[in-house]
Amino acid sequence: MIGFLVQRLIGTIPVLLLVSLTVFSLMHLIPGDPVQVMAGEVQDPETLARLRADLGLDRPLYVQYAAWLGNAVRGDLGKSIRTREPVTDVVLQRLRPTLQLSAIAMLLAGVVAFPAGILSATRRNSRIDAIATAFALLGVSMPNFLVGLLLIFAFSMKLGWLPTSGYVDIFADPIAGLRSLALPAITLGMALTAVIMRMTRSSLLESLSQDYVRTARAKGLVERRVVIRHGLRNALLPIVTVVGLQVGNLLAGAVITEYIFAIPGIGRLIVDSVFARDYPVMQGVVLLSVIGFIASNLVADLLYASLDPRIRLS
Amino acid sequence: MVLRRVVRARLAPLGIAICFFVVAAALFAPVIAPYDPAATDIMNSLQRPNLAHWLGTDDLGRDIFSRVIFGSRISLLVGGIAVGAALLIGTTIGVVAGYFAGIIDNIAMRIMDSILSFPALVLAIAVAAVLGAGLAAPMIAIAVVYIPAFARVARGQVLSTKEQEFVLAAQTVGSDHRRIMFRHVFPNITAPLIVQASLSVAFAILAEASLSFLGLGVKPPEASWGRMVSEGRQYLQDAPWLVFGPGVAIFLTVMGLNFVGDALRDALDPRLRM
């Protein structure tokens, strides 16, 4: 297990290097001069040149890349061009709302998707199955900005139950926090719920049609036990893969969700920094989101092995 | 089981019908649209849906139905070209990598891995931001995101196909690599690629809508569904049709494409059936 982990971690190094190079070059290809943006009204060429030198933007690109990478591995992602704060601090601040939002979204998805998926597989073609299938269809076909706006329209504007936007930290004020994150979490969790539900259903259906399930039934096991111990356990593998991929993608969903609900998280930071041409922040956030994505896939791989002893990690 | 088959049998034609309507709307937009999509009419702004304006009018008095009709052009154009480009480039990379194996395969696939390790929308935002305004930005951004998917599918297929006897036969009679790759191997791997492409178009249209919702890509006054939703957002309370018209258009188009994609997958690649 440890050997596998080490091997996988080493394997991610070339990928991370390529990613960092891609991120770095992308950001420097963005049209528009950050120094101009910063300086605003000031057009004095000498001031601009000094500013550029201060930020190290006058050095050749490969020197800038080497310097950036060298600092990045030591946890220093530079300073925001806009606010002059260290990027690491900015990102860490913004991480909190996003983590809270994603955690609630995942919880919601899990609580809804697994039982619904199991029910629709065990009671195939029932009404529950039809409703779940229709919901899954909705979940994968609706853009999440539309889901968010529909929820705001119904629950905030028409019913007046929940705030339209804004963010309250859950740990500071649990009730207000939950109220502020309820709609964003449903928005973010919708697609995840749909995908997990579909996967649970099809994977469970497949494993329930296996011979060992018939054997289990034949020896007189209670249906509940057959489904959970024999069916579900064997159905979990593909579900874990899909969940791993989807969790990594939550951040992408958070971009839109946080944008709509004005939540000061990582997703919002990506959009804001793109429009402000804040290179260092953009590079930092994108790089960290990639690391998070790779990590979630790695966790899925490890879970895989613990679920299925047949899989040798090598 | 029977019910399910009926549902499936109904969903595919429904999907095809939806796609047909969307394509027709895009092709014949000037004929179908009752108004000029960019013509403003301040006297008639924010009208609810009525007989003159089926989906109402927006804050500048533009006819939303006409704008939705014209918007289908952008969605299909961006979705189609992006996926087409990704299919072409990704497949070529995948076929070459799978066929030659070894170091070429290794390098190509590591590059694909590094693209895949970006959350898709984050990469698309970054690429679209680099490219600036215009129709090409979302196209290229989305194409880049989908190249690895096609490369992986193609490579996987090539790895098993190239071991087959007809490839050996072709080698024996002295065909060169290019001929073997594209004449003998490629025709045998098209089914999964078609499935991948049809499902990708749905996601590409969603991605385009998301990008234009965030303000990346097509610039006003051009009617793009995502941008229409984003511009209509501030009137959600009093004039929700500004959001719902284009929103439903995105939803229906993506759903229709998903139906077609699922049906194609079931027909062409039964192993992947869900």
Side-chain angles (χ1 to χ4, degrees), chain A residues 11 14-16 18-20 22-23 25-27 29-31 124-126 129 133 137-138 140-146 149-150 152-153 157-158 195 198-199 201-202 206 248-249 251-253 255-256 259-261 270-271 274-275 277 282 286 289-291 293-294 297, chain B residues 1-4 11 107 110-123 125-127 129-132 203 206 209-211 213-216 219 225-226 229-230 233 235-238 240 243-244 246-248 250-252 254-256 258-259 262 265 273-274:
Chain A
V15 171
L16 276 176
L18 268 173
V19 166
S20 72
T22 315
V23 171
S25 19
L26 266 179
M27 298 310 165
L29 287 170
I30 293 186
R124 223 169 138 187
N125 300 327
S126 66
D129 187 20
T133 307
L137 208 65
L138 226 73
V140 291
S141 303
M142 277 237 252
N144 57 359
F145 55 82
L146 191 60
L149 291 176
L150 280 175
I152 292 179
F153 182 70
M157 292 178 165
K158 292 296 153 191
V195 174
R198 259 167 75 138
M199 203 65 217
R201 180 183 184 278
S202 62
E206 167 141 10
N249 254 327
L251 181 70
V255 172
I256 301 271
Y259 181 79
I260 294 178
F261 290 95
I270 294 179
V271 178
V274 163
F275 284 114
R277 310 197 189 298
M282 264 190 286
V286 174
S289 69
V290 172
I291 293 174
F293 196 68
I294 293 178
N297 284 329
Chain B
M1 196 64 211
V2 178
L3 184 78
R4 203 155 175 81
L11 286 184
I107 293 174
R110 284 297 83 75
I111 295 175
M112 295 299 115
D113 283 350
S114 71
I115 297 179
L116 275 177
S117 47
F118 285 89
L121 188 63
V122 173
L123 180 61
I125 290 174
V127 176
V130 169
L131 296 166
F203 286 114
L206 268 184
S210 301
L211 288 177
F213 179 78
L214 291 173
L216 293 160
K219 285 286 163 222
W225 292 342
V229 172
S230 141
R233 201 154 73 100
Y235 301 100
L236 187 61
Q237 174 104 47
D238 304 310
V243 164
F244 294 156
V248 170
I250 300 169
F251 167 60
L252 284 179
V254 172
M255 194 175 68
N258 273 330
F259 288 162
D262 282 347
R265 177 182 56 200
R273 191 169 292 167
M274 276 181 69

Side-chain angles (χ1 to χ4, degrees), chain B residues 136-231:
Chain B
M139 278 181 199
I140 299 174
I142 295 166
V144 168
V145 169
Y146 284 103
I147 287 173
F150 289 103
R152 278 204 166 174
V153 171
R155 175 180 175 270
Q157 292 290 316
V158 169
L159 284 181
S160 60
T161 308
K162 74 170 182 180
E163 301 300 331
Q164 295 195 9
E165 276 154 7
F166 60 82
V167 175
L168 187 67
Q171 280 163 348
T172 324
V173 297
S175 301
D176 60 24
H177 290 313
R178 205 165 67 188
R179 195 180 161 82
I180 297 176
M181 275 191 280
F182 292 101
R183 274 294 168 78
H184 299 278
V185 175
F186 178 70
N188 285 291
I189 65 167
T190 47
L193 288 170
I194 293 172
V195 173
Q196 175 74 34
S198 67
L199 291 170
S200 299
V201 174
F203 286 114
I205 286 180
L206 268 184
E208 190 278 326
S210 301
L211 288 177
S212 64
F213 179 78
L214 291 173
L216 293 160
V218 186
K219 285 286 163 222
E222 245 190 304
S224 144
W225 292 342
R227 184 171 279 278
M228 287 173 73
V229 172
S230 141
E231 286 170 354

Side-chain angles (χ1 to χ4, degrees), chain A residues 87-146:
Chain A
V87 173
T88 326
D89 292 0
V90 178
V91 171
L92 285 179
Q93 260 171 35
R94 299 292 199 107
L95 202 55
R96 217 176 144 87
T98 303
L99 285 180
Q100 290 182 3
L101 173 62
S102 315
I104 300 177
M106 276 161 62
L107 199 73
L108 267 178
V111 168
V112 176
F114 285 113
I118 293 169
L119 275 177
S120 76
T122 49
R123 300 194 196 151
R124 223 169 138 187
N125 300 327
S126 66
R127 196 164 293 163
I128 293 178
D129 187 20
I131 294 172
T133 307
F135 176 82
L137 208 65
L138 226 73
V140 291
S141 303
M142 277 237 252
N144 57 359
F145 55 82
L146 191 60

Side-chain angles (χ1 to χ4, degrees), chain B residues 17-157:
Chain B
I18 294 174
C19 293
F20 173 79
F21 277 119
V22 178
V23 171
L27 285 177
F28 304 111
V31 186
I32 299 170
Y35 299 88
D36 175 349
T40 57
D41 178 4
I42 298 294
M43 298 303 286
N44 285 315
S45 66
L46 297 179
Q47 288 206 355
R48 340 184 126 261
N50 55 46
L51 282 177
H53 300 281
W54 292 356
L55 297 176
T57 60
D58 69 6
D59 51 319
L60 298 174
R62 293 176 295 195
D63 180 52
I64 294 176
F65 179 68
S66 303
R67 289 178 68 71
V68 167
I69 295 292
F70 272 90
S72 64
R73 293 186 153 186
I74 291 173
S75 287
L76 287 188
L77 209 62
V78 173
I81 294 185
V83 172
L87 175 70
L88 202 72
I89 300 170
T91 305
T92 310
I93 294 175
V95 170
V96 171
Y99 182 79
F100 287 111
I103 186 131
I104 295 179
D105 182 33
N106 232 317
I107 293 174
M109 285 302 133
R110 284 297 83 75
I111 295 175
M112 295 299 115
D113 283 350
S114 71
I115 297 179
L116 275 177
S117 47
F118 285 89
L121 188 63
V122 173
L123 180 61
I125 290 174
V127 176
V130 169
L131 296 166
L135 211 53
M139 278 181 199
I140 299 174
I142 295 166
V144 168
V145 169
Y146 284 103
I147 287 173
F150 289 103
R152 278 204 166 174
V153 171
R155 175 180 175 270
Q157 292 290 316

Side-chain angles (χ1 to χ4, degrees), chain A residues 7 17 24 54 97 193 258 270 292 299 307:
Chain A
Q7 206 175 10
L17 270 177
F24 182 83
D54 276 354
T193 311
E258 292 176 357
I270 294 179
V299 171
L307 284 170

